[in-house]
Amino acid sequence: MAMRGYWDEFWRELLREGTQAYACTAGIKGGVARCRNLIPCSAHPDGTPKAPRPDRVLLKVNLSKAWDDRFQKAGIPLLQRTWERAQQLRADHVESAGQLGRNAFAVRTQQSPQRNQTFQGQEVPENADTGCPVFGNEGVTKGVSGQSLSKTSWDLRDAGFRLVAAHRLQRNWKPPVRLVLIFEKGQGARDVQFPWELFRELVATCFKQVDVWANERRPDNLVVHTVNCGARDDKATPAYGLRFAGGDWGVQTAISSLWITDLWITKG
């Protein structure tokens, strides 16, 4: 009881310090998706039942023209997403969100209107979401150590994931080009060749915008999580380090050596 009281007080202190928002780790709809409520969550005070674990993780990093050229020379192929494909993805997300009882536009267009975008007078089709924004609607904006992304790739490997593909994603309506690393686990997953030294050089910086999406279980039974990294700032001092945390994801705060996700799990 005394230990629980300690964590209760410590958690209140974290909230008073204005540290990073963090989503409930519990599953909803029979464990199909992760709860979107921020913790402490009144619906799941102990963080259970657990949200589904990912089978695939997409790690995406924005590339400047110079970095894009370097990864092109390193042999990473370019994938051009068409407007039609983007519209189809939007329709799929709207349908999936409806099945979960969620508003597909709640995160980007209602609570964060500044992040809504248009292209040539048309609404960008990729503004619909079905999953849970792990670090709240605004993501992590105080700076994430890019070097922790390298550690995250090793965390994924320790969890049984392998880098099965990598490409550069281009969308004319939504620059810049993004480097996309695809990690999968399961029988048959094999590592592909990848310029890891170049990647470590790329992420030796601070990212001022990091979003992690824990998406719902798809009809094909696949669970995909996405990590989006942007707003590179080579002069900034990172406030956090990113952690996979077994699929819960977490950050290490500047005021504590504890991980937010570890704190919540222990608190329960």
Side-chain angles (χ1 to χ4, degrees):
M1 183 64 68
M3 180 58 71
R4 183 180 181 87
Y6 169 81
W7 289 121
D8 286 342
E9 177 56 32
F10 198 91
W11 181 250
R12 284 192 291 270
E13 183 63 26
L14 286 175
L15 294 179
R16 282 196 295 269
E17 291 290 337
T19 53
Q20 183 60 49
Y22 187 67
C24 173
T25 59
I28 62 170
K29 301 292 183 179
V32 171
R34 181 167 174 170
C35 177
R36 277 185 172 181
N37 294 340
L38 297 181
I39 57 174
C41 173
S42 59
H44 310 100
D46 60 354
T48 60
K50 297 294 288 184
R53 305 293 89 185
D55 308 292
R56 177 183 296 165
V57 174
L58 308 181
L59 177 57
K60 303 180 181 181
V61 182
N62 287 356
L63 298 176
S64 66
K65 178 62 168 61
W67 278 109
D68 184 43
D69 288 344
R70 294 184 67 181
F71 277 95
Q72 179 185 17
K73 292 177 181 178
I76 304 302
L78 181 70
L79 175 64
Q80 181 80 46
R81 180 172 293 171
T82 66
W83 184 265
E84 291 73 23
R85 173 58 178 161
Q87 288 179 314
Q88 182 59 55
L89 288 173
R90 182 181 191 270
D92 292 344
H93 289 167
V94 170
E95 180 180 359
S96 296
Q99 293 172 353
L100 292 172
R102 289 175 169 171
N103 179 354
F105 307 101
V107 176
R108 303 197 198 205
T109 62
Q110 290 188 7
Q111 298 182 24
S112 302
Q114 71 276 15
R115 297 176 67 180
N116 191 24
Q117 302 178 41
T118 59
F119 177 73
Q120 296 182 351
Q122 298 185 66
E123 187 178 41
V124 169
E126 296 179 348
N127 62 350
D129 301 296
T130 63
C132 167
V134 173
F135 298 112
N137 293 340
E138 300 303 321
V140 185
T141 60
K142 295 181 180 179
V144 169
S145 166
Q147 293 178 340
S148 70
L149 299 181
S150 293
K151 184 180 185 304
T152 297
S153 70
W154 285 105
D155 288 343
L156 290 171
R157 171 170 288 279
D158 290 343
F161 287 84
R162 296 294 180 265
L163 179 66
V164 299
H167 63 264
R168 294 148 45 236
L169 175 63
Q170 183 175 52
R171 297 164 292 183
N172 291 336
W173 62 91
K174 193 175 182 180
V177 172
R178 273 184 168 176
L179 176 67
V180 181
L181 277 61
I182 304 175
F183 296 88
E184 289 186 358
K185 66 184 304 184
Q187 188 175 6
R190 297 289 185 273
D191 282 308
V192 297
Q193 288 189 339
F194 183 74
W196 284 109
E197 185 174 346
L198 182 60
F199 178 77
R200 286 190 289 271
E201 185 180 347
L202 169 70
V203 299
T205 186
C206 174
F207 292 100
K208 300 299 289 292
Q209 182 65 58
V210 173
D211 300 278
V212 178
W213 287 88
N215 296 307
E216 73 283 357
R217 188 176 300 281
R218 302 187 331 192
D220 61 4
N221 210 37
L222 193 67
V223 178
V224 181
H225 287 188
T226 301
V227 181
N228 298 321
C229 305
R232 178 191 183 99
D233 189 339
D234 293 338
K235 297 181 180 180
T237 300
Y240 304 102
L242 184 68
R243 185 183 179 189
F244 176 58
D248 283 331
W249 300 95
V251 290
Q252 189 173 22
T253 71
I255 67 170
S256 171
S257 62
L258 294 173
W259 297 96
I260 282 182
T261 182
D262 288 346
L263 174 62
W264 180 244
I265 292 170
T266 305
K267 178 178 180 293

